Amino acid sequence: MAGNPGTSPDDRARADQAREAAVEAALGKLDLDAKTRLLAGQDTWSLPALPEIGLKSLVMSDGPIGVRGVRWTADDPSVALPSPTALAATWDPELARRAGTLLAQEARRKGVHVLLAPTVNLHRSPLGGRHFEAYSEDPYLTGVIGAGYVNGVQAGGVGTTVKHFVANDAETDRFTVNNVISERALRELYLAPFETIVENAHPWGIMTAYNTVNGTTMTEHRHLVNDILRGEWGFDGYNVSDWTAARSTVGAIEGGLDVAMPGPRTVYGAPLAQAVREGRVEEATVDEAVRNVLRLAARVGALESAEPVVTELPAPVDGSALAREIARRAFVLVKNDRGALPLRPGTVALIGAAARDARVLGGGSATVFPAHVVSPLDGLTAALPEGTLRYAVGADPATELAVAGKGFTLRAICRDSDGNVIGTASAPNGQIQWMGTDLPEGVTHDRLHSVELTGTFTPRDTGPHTFGIKGAGRFTLTVAGTTYYDEVQHPAEGGDRFEAFFGTPVPRAQAELTAGEQVEVSLTLVVDLPEDMPYKVVAFALCHQEPQRDADELIAEAVEAARAADTAVVVVATTERVESEGFDRKDLALPGRQDDLVRAVAAANPNTVVVVNSGSPVELPWRADVAAVLLSWFPGQEGGAALADVLTGAQEPGGRLPTTWGPLSDAPVTQVVPDHGELHYTEDLFIGYRAWEKAGRTPSYPFGHGLGYTDWTYESVEVDGTTAKVRVRNSGERPGREVVQVYLAPTEPDADRPARRLAGFAGVEAGPGETAEAVVRLPRRAFEVWDEATAAWSFVKGSYEIQVGRSITDRRITATINV
């Protein structure tokens, strides 16, 4: 739990009492209008200040992998850590805590009080488009990593908002879908990570999701929020809606929603005050919500009369160093035949567009803008002896236009209806996303008539360059003095302007350009914001695609490079159009001709290593043909440096799979598209490895799997009560770290229970020939099931096998216990 180091429980209790007294005193000074105003966002990212009680404006920011702040811009860079799936792949709650400490440091630097993270929804189906932003398919691993993250952030004096409560496990129709789930599956799977975090990290916030659960939308779900989250678990933080999720004034406040975001137009504020005056809502209900918000403010230091929870900040953290450490600790080596890794001395052919233009994070609200990115090409160029590395593009995963990036120097110019410049802003990434009041200095919505993205582009290749637009509205696109497009671009049929912004870019121009010769580019949007928009967003992007060379020629060049090298390293990747917030995946295939590329390179060089740059599972149809496969997830800003560390053997790949990898045709749970507005979780308790085992199917790589650069012998396990002590020996030739995994299996088969489940784990380190002891506590909950008849947890007595090993399928030693 967050707090100052060295303080006793009694001291913390007294400090909590003092904060509660300050909260009550502040609450007593507010009239109804002030109270209801405090529960509604004043803009996209903040709540209003109330100077009469010494309350500052509470500021929130997206923050799973970095703290963007209140502006969607690269002007104020953010440290970009590896994706949440990568963090979970470390199987290290302490490393998650350190990540949280860094993000709290970043939040304080940007004036942010609360991070809208972590995301602890489960990987129910591999088709979930936002799984890179969540941790795992397993509720225990998710909860433990999430608790580490929350403890780290809050120890830095910054609040967390654990999301999305609950069952926001897919993106299709996420605003309207009714997820129909048994009470047992809710308790044992989907609520479990939230419960673990509330118990072990005391989060200061929770975010209720867009979706509906069993007929009640989550922003109004009194049973799940007030009865379970607050009542049973004792959660005392604030509950904020996902952005625009709150639909009903009375339903939301009665359902336990404290804050409706974003503003200025919400179901709270004046509508809530009116509901109280009309007798439809008790003022005491409003007071309870205000109390929760004031408690948050007191904890983070935004209420003058209260001492914040943290008065002694943690020591500063080197963000780049931590990002690099997490990345290499997260890389999962799933295959390493013939000792292909670490790289042997000799020449290396590095192949793949993603090796040059790194994909370091997923799309959507988790986006941040790092000051620099180390690509695999950058990292290996720096690490390998000069003259030993050759690069070839091979195949590009991007099959469509991408947001303007390398080679562009752009700025935004805002004009009024008379053409006068009223403000400017830099736009180095070719993307405008001004939400609410996030406008350039001096610009207001009532005066803003047009936004021009203008600047220069220096191509790196000669040939036909394609330019396009992402967004909806009237656009004018000019390249090198020629206007190619000057008309209205409409959203896709049935879509809205938000979907147009997150959707596929539309090609609108093709210009013959010469490498190295700079040209001027311009994209202008005439701003026309509908009056009925819940909050105002100006969002569009200039997009670009380099000349498309013949794919077979590119693969042939890669094969030539691979044949001439001692080792071929192929980097394959997904794109933002494959993994992003806002939509689910249609398949698990790598985009473009990347599978063909790997097969061709492997045929030319038997010593082929494939690095898979994706946030969640993809199919690997060529995995039997290559020497090694390394999963790098979305590795953050230092990913290329960490990759060089691991490939050269300077560091060991430390990751273990937090989710099962296998072909879609064998995946047991694939339904993410609602039927008539409902998505029935018919698989009940059986998702992830539980489902694979029940179906009797063998995945490509099982949950928990991961190789290092040494070998481990499991020597013994002793169980004392609910503690397992496991002795392992490093039987290899170099130091290493092992993740000892303990699974609990009822000895009597039970069709209603998984054959086994993860009950605990621990990391140990040892040098060659040394032994280490992992101590793993088995929580009581591992022996319990939710009894729907009694609506209570039931401890299942009987005989259990404690199965210890390196993955769900690689179980080395066992012990039997009776409870």
Side-chain angles (χ1 to χ4, degrees):
M1 291 172 59
N4 295 312
T7 56
S8 69
D10 288 343
D11 288 339
R12 288 197 293 269
R14 281 190 288 272
D16 286 342
Q17 291 171 0
R19 272 187 293 277
E20 287 299 303
V23 165
E24 292 302 321
L27 176 61
K29 296 176 183 177
L30 298 177
D31 62 20
L32 176 61
D33 291 318
K35 292 173 187 175
T36 57
R37 192 166 70 252
L38 179 60
L39 304 182
Q42 67 175 351
D43 54 28
T44 309
W45 302 113
S46 69
L47 298 181
L50 298 178
E52 63 267 33
I53 58 170
L55 178 67
K56 301 174 185 175
S57 173
L58 280 165
V59 178
M60 311 170 208
S61 171
D62 288 316
I65 59 122
V67 184
R68 190 173 60 249
V70 299
R71 300 189 62 204
W72 191 283
T73 175
D75 287 346
D76 182 14
S78 308
V79 173
L81 296 178
S83 63
T85 42
L87 190 59
T90 69
W91 288 58
D92 189 342
E94 172 60 19
L95 195 56
R97 185 197 63 77
R98 290 171 56 203
T101 301
L102 169 66
L103 294 180
Q105 176 180 299
E106 285 278 279
R108 293 193 307 271
R109 179 175 67 82
K110 295 193 174 211
V112 169
H113 300 106
V114 184
L115 291 188
L116 303 173
T119 299
V120 297
N121 300 115
L122 298 183
H123 297 175
R124 173 181 166 268
S125 162
L127 293 175
R130 201 175 179 181
H131 281 348
F132 62 87
E133 196 181 319
Y135 292 127
S136 169
E137 68 188 29
D138 182 77
Y140 177 79
L141 178 60
T142 296
V144 170
I145 297 296
Y149 176 101
V150 169
N151 277 322
V153 172
Q154 294 185 173
V158 174
T160 56
T161 307
V162 189
K163 62 183 188 180
H164 307 85
F165 191 75
V166 64
N168 184 184
D169 310 303
E171 293 294 281
T172 303
D173 296 343
R174 62 177 175 162
F175 295 98
T176 57
V177 62
N178 176 27
N179 293 325
V180 182
I181 313 169
S182 73
E183 187 72 13
R184 184 175 177 188
L186 262 176
R187 292 283 190 160
E188 295 188 25
L189 292 179
Y190 303 103
L191 288 171
F194 293 93
E195 184 180 10
T196 296
I197 293 170
V198 169
E199 179 182 354
N200 296 289
H202 194 197
W204 298 344
I206 205 97
M207 180 189 288
T208 35
Y210 292 120
N211 56 277
T212 290
V213 171
N214 296 335
T216 303
T217 187
M218 280 309 307
T219 50
E220 302 171 24
H221 215 305
R222 184 180 183 87
H223 172 60
L224 292 179
V225 173
N226 285 351
D227 296 344
I228 296 177
L229 175 65
R230 293 198 186 280
E232 289 185 28
W233 302 349
F235 171 73
D236 67 355
Y238 90 122
N239 170 16
V240 62
S241 71
D242 205 340
W243 268 223
T244 72
R247 299 167 175 87
S248 161
T249 299
V250 176
I253 196 71
E254 296 290 348
L257 182 71
D258 299 323
V259 173
M261 291 295 289
R265 187 189 304 175
T266 81
V267 298
Y268 285 173
L272 180 55
Q274 184 71 14
V276 174
R277 292 189 173 105
E278 293 174 355
R280 293 182 290 127
V281 172
E282 295 289 335
E283 188 165 356
T285 304
V286 174
D287 286 349
E288 192 57 40
V290 173
R291 190 175 284 117
N292 292 332
V293 175
L294 292 176
R295 184 180 298 120
L296 169 68
R299 284 169 167 166
V300 300
L303 185 63
E304 289 177 3
S305 57
E307 182 178 273
V309 170
V310 177
T311 56
E312 300 174 32
L313 295 174
V317 179
D318 183 328
S320 294
L322 183 58
R324 184 170 180 169
E325 179 184 354
I326 293 173
R328 55 100 174 162
R329 288 280 308 281
F331 291 160
V332 182
L333 183 60
V334 293
K335 179 179 181 179
N336 193 22
D337 288 354
R338 303 183 299 277
L341 291 178
L343 293 173
R344 302 163 188 168
T347 56
V348 175
L350 179 62
I351 297 164
R356 179 184 62 186
D357 301 323
R359 177 99 193 273
V360 301
L361 46 80
S365 62
T367 300
V368 295
F369 304 99
H372 68 270
V373 170
V374 182
S375 70
L377 180 57
D378 297 332
L380 282 172
T381 298
L384 296 177
E386 187 174 353
T388 60
L389 182 68
R390 178 181 174 186
Y391 172 71
V393 174
D396 192 338
T399 56
E400 59 191 32
L401 284 71
V403 173
K406 290 192 175 182
F408 287 85
T409 302
L410 300 169
R411 69 187 188 282
I413 300 176
C414 301
R415 294 182 173 90
D416 63 17
S417 56
D418 295 325
N420 300 312
V421 175
I422 57 174
T424 62
S426 67
N429 65 325
Q431 181 168 301
I432 297 296
Q433 185 162 323
W434 296 335
M435 304 172 70
T437 56
D438 174 21
L439 293 169
E441 187 175 352
V443 178
T444 58
H445 286 111
D446 59 339
R447 295 184 63 203
L448 181 60
H449 175 72
S450 68
V451 181
E452 181 187 10
L453 268 175
T454 182
T456 61
F457 171 57
T458 306
R460 59 186 177 188
D461 291 317
T462 296
H465 287 252
T466 305
F467 296 82
I469 305 167
K470 190 155 67 164
R474 179 162 197 103
F475 291 99
T476 303
L477 174 62
T478 302
V479 180
T482 299
T483 297
Y484 288 89
Y485 187 77
D486 186 11
E487 53 189 282
V488 175
Q489 179 166 295
H490 296 282
E493 186 175 347
D496 60 26
R497 61 182 57 231
F498 292 109
E499 290 173 351
F501 176 71
F502 284 112
T504 305
V506 182
R508 295 298 185 187
Q510 192 171 82
E512 285 286 340
L513 303 178
T514 303
E517 292 188 6
Q518 187 180 91
V519 296
E520 293 186 354
V521 295
S522 170
L523 175 65
T524 301
L525 168 69
V526 176
V527 178
D528 180 19
L529 299 177
E531 285 298 318
D532 61 352
M533 288 183 74
Y535 66 114
K536 296 186 184 301
V537 178
V538 179
F540 68 99
L542 172 64
C543 300
H544 169 256
Q545 188 177 46
E546 293 184 322
Q548 296 299 287
R549 291 183 55 201
D550 180 79
D552 290 330
E553 287 183 11
L554 289 172
I555 291 174
E557 288 178 4
V559 166
E560 180 186 346
R563 188 175 286 118
D566 295 304
T567 303
V569 176
V570 185
V571 182
V572 296
T574 60
T575 70
E576 193 168 298
R577 293 296 300 139
V578 174
E579 294 184 86
S580 175
E581 179 179 357
F583 52 85
D584 289 315
R585 299 162 73 181
K586 299 293 189 291
D587 56 50
L588 302 183
L590 287 166
R593 296 280 303 279
Q594 294 182 100
D595 287 335
D596 293 339
L597 170 67
V598 173
R599 290 189 182 98
V601 169
N605 189 327
N607 201 34
T608 292
V609 175
V610 182
V611 178
V612 183
N613 181 191
S614 69
S616 47
V618 294
E619 293 182 347
L620 313 173
W622 32 257
R623 62 192 180 90
D625 304 327
V626 301
V629 179
L630 181 71
L631 311 182
S632 70
W633 313 105
F634 295 147
Q637 66 180 50
E638 307 296 327
L643 181 63
D645 289 340
V646 166
L647 293 183
T648 61
Q651 300 285 351
E652 182 182 44
R656 305 293 185 266
L657 285 181
T659 200
T660 305
W661 280 53
L664 183 61
S665 59
D666 289 341
V669 182
T670 58
Q671 187 64 32
V672 294
V673 177
D675 182 15
H676 295 91
E678 292 191 340
L679 183 62
H680 290 258
Y681 284 34
T682 55
E683 70 283 347
D684 205 39
L685 297 179
F686 295 91
I687 66 170
Y689 62 81
R690 305 159 182 242
W692 283 86
E693 287 203 319
K694 183 178 183 180
R697 300 172 187 171
T698 302
S700 303
Y701 299 109
F703 176 82
H705 174 65
L707 308 172
Y709 288 157
T710 190
D711 297 317
W712 295 89
T713 300
Y714 280 64
E715 295 186 335
S716 65
V717 55
E718 295 179 6
V719 182
D720 181 8
T722 56
T723 300
K725 295 181 179 179
V726 182
R727 191 173 183 83
V728 295
R729 178 168 51 85
N730 183 341
S731 49
E733 298 179 353
R734 57 175 286 165
R737 182 178 187 273
E738 176 71 333
V739 178
V740 175
Q741 302 166 39
V742 177
Y743 296 88
L744 186 68
T747 55
E748 291 293 327
D750 181 350
D752 293 332
R753 297 175 72 185
R756 59 191 55 79
R757 57 178 290 188
L758 179 68
F761 61 89
V764 296
E765 296 181 1
E770 295 178 351
T771 58
E773 184 179 74
V775 179
V776 181
R777 185 184 68 84
L778 307 178
R780 177 182 175 86
R781 184 56 54 80
F783 299 90
E784 293 179 327
V785 300
W786 182 258
D787 187 334
E788 292 185 343
T790 62
W793 288 102
S794 174
F795 188 86
V796 183
K797 297 179 181 179
S799 177
Y800 291 85
E801 192 170 73
I802 306 297
Q803 302 174 340
V804 184
R806 312 196 73 235
S807 76
I808 186 72
T809 59
D810 186 2
R811 305 184 296 275
R812 300 293 180 90
I813 51 177
T814 63
T816 302
I817 61 171
N818 293 292
V819 296

